[in-house]
Amino acid sequence: GVLAMAGVAPGDFRQNLVFTDAVGELVRRDNRWTDFSPRVVLDAHFTPGLMGYVSVTKGYKAGGYNSVQVASRFAPEKVWNYEAGVKGVFPDARLIVNAALYHYRYSNLQDLTLVPNATGSGVPGYVVSASDQKADGADLSIQWQPAAGLDLHAAGSWIDATYGHKTGVAGDDLSGQPTGVPRITWTAGLQYAWRLGAGRMAFNLDHAYRGRQRCNVDSVYEGYCSPSPNFTVLGAQNRTDARLGWTAPAGHWGVALYANNVFDHRYVMFVNNVSAGVLGTPNAFINAPRLYGVEFHAKL
């Protein structure tokens, strides 16, 4: 009934038609993208267990088309990454250490974004936007076995990521503003294992920290950094998980107790403004609460 009133036959929807200014015209696009993406790595072994390296790498992703935006297309994505680091294995200390410094620069980084008014009719839609981005960062990871059965691990990252060029959803110039990636993230944990009967008992404890979202004009508009006197969106987050399990010989079966988000930290992850303009119903997404349970596994 609706199609008949609009004067459009159902069969027309099987064709590639555009119902805008170019009503009934076929949309045809034909592009070919090629690229040469080299990778060069130089390394030096200072001792049998310690090496250093430097690398230069280019990455590439072909361009494409966006069906939401009429007659649109986006250019290929390219990235140059420069990295230097060290990797060390110290058997006497039962220690492994990896560290790296890096810098990358993206051109036309493709990003899929939900825009509240993508079609111009108040209907939200996903559009592909492109931006130039750059970042400086450092990574460090450590694994240590101070005693038999006890393994400790930790990893941390620092990054400063900003837009080289970016036009926001609302039309703002985001050049020089943060991309939203937190500056600091880290994880740390331990595993202690021992024999129990004929099987193996293991206790795992892991903690993860994520720094606050770095806001820009666009992230406030989209709801990732909405200012509110009642709560913080994507602030600093902590999560602790624990697991105690027993595994039979040869790993044929096992049972475990586990708890995720042990301290029941709750955070607002995102405020959805897509339905606010039409229905007046913005809503918030919250991370999962504490979860605990029993796990049983078997292998034939």
Side-chain angles (χ1 to χ4, degrees):
V2 175
L3 292 177
M5 291 177 60
V8 180
D12 289 342
F13 286 93
R14 299 190 183 94
Q15 303 178 34
N16 187 17
L17 300 181
V18 178
F19 296 94
T20 57
D21 295 336
V23 175
E25 293 184 8
L26 290 172
V27 176
R28 299 185 185 278
R29 290 291 183 271
D30 183 12
N31 290 94
R32 184 183 301 272
W33 293 287
T34 59
D35 183 71
F36 172 67
S37 301
R39 181 172 186 260
V40 178
V41 180
L42 300 176
D43 61 72
H45 292 261
F46 307 115
T47 69
L50 181 64
M51 66 163 288
Y53 68 92
V54 294
S55 70
V56 179
T57 308
K58 183 186 179 186
Y60 170 79
K61 184 178 181 180
Y65 309 96
N66 187 352
S67 62
V68 175
Q69 296 170 300
V70 177
S72 70
R73 63 183 177 182
F74 47 90
E77 173 184 310
K78 300 179 182 180
V79 59
W80 281 97
N81 183 74
Y82 308 88
E83 183 174 336
V86 294
K87 296 180 181 292
V89 178
F90 309 98
D92 293 340
R94 298 180 177 179
L95 179 66
I96 299 175
V97 178
N98 297 318
L101 299 173
Y102 62 86
H103 170 83
Y104 66 71
R105 186 179 296 271
Y106 272 98
S107 299
N108 296 315
L109 177 63
Q110 300 163 14
D111 183 34
L112 188 66
T113 306
L114 181 61
V115 179
N117 191 24
T119 62
S121 60
V123 179
Y126 286 97
V127 299
V128 177
S129 61
S131 65
D132 298 335
Q133 297 186 18
K134 58 182 179 179
D136 297 301
D139 292 327
L140 174 66
S141 66
I142 300 173
Q143 299 178 50
W144 182 37
Q145 189 179 54
L150 177 61
D151 293 282
L152 305 178
H153 61 268
S157 175
W158 176 88
I159 185 172
D160 179 21
T162 58
Y163 288 113
H165 175 72
K166 167 75 171 179
T167 300
V169 173
D172 299 290
D173 183 8
L174 304 182
S175 302
Q177 297 190 32
T179 63
V181 177
R183 284 188 185 274
I184 297 177
T185 57
W186 60 266
T187 63
L190 63 86
Q191 180 187 76
Y192 182 64
W194 67 98
R195 304 295 301 182
L196 183 63
R200 177 179 181 269
M201 199 79 178
F203 173 71
N204 293 80
L205 183 66
D206 293 281
H207 183 83
Y209 170 83
R210 181 183 187 274
R212 67 175 179 83
Q213 168 103 353
R214 297 181 64 196
C215 298
N216 56 51
V217 175
D218 224 28
S219 56
V220 173
Y221 174 78
E222 292 181 312
Y224 289 102
C225 286
S226 297
S228 171
N230 302 314
F231 56 82
T232 301
V233 179
L234 279 180
Q237 301 174 25
N238 289 276
R239 170 171 164 164
T240 304
D241 296 340
R243 187 178 187 274
L244 177 64
W246 183 83
T247 304
H252 289 304
W253 68 277
V255 63
L257 303 174
Y258 67 89
N260 296 333
N261 193 9
V262 173
F263 299 105
D264 198 28
H265 292 303
R266 308 302 305 278
Y267 305 102
V268 178
M269 307 299 293
F270 175 61
V271 175
N272 189 346
N273 292 319
V274 171
S275 60
V278 179
L279 303 176
T281 57
N283 52 85
F285 291 83
I286 302 175
N287 70 304
R290 179 192 297 118
L291 174 67
Y292 54 87
V294 179
E295 175 186 291
F296 177 81
H297 67 271
K299 181 173 65 174
L300 300 178

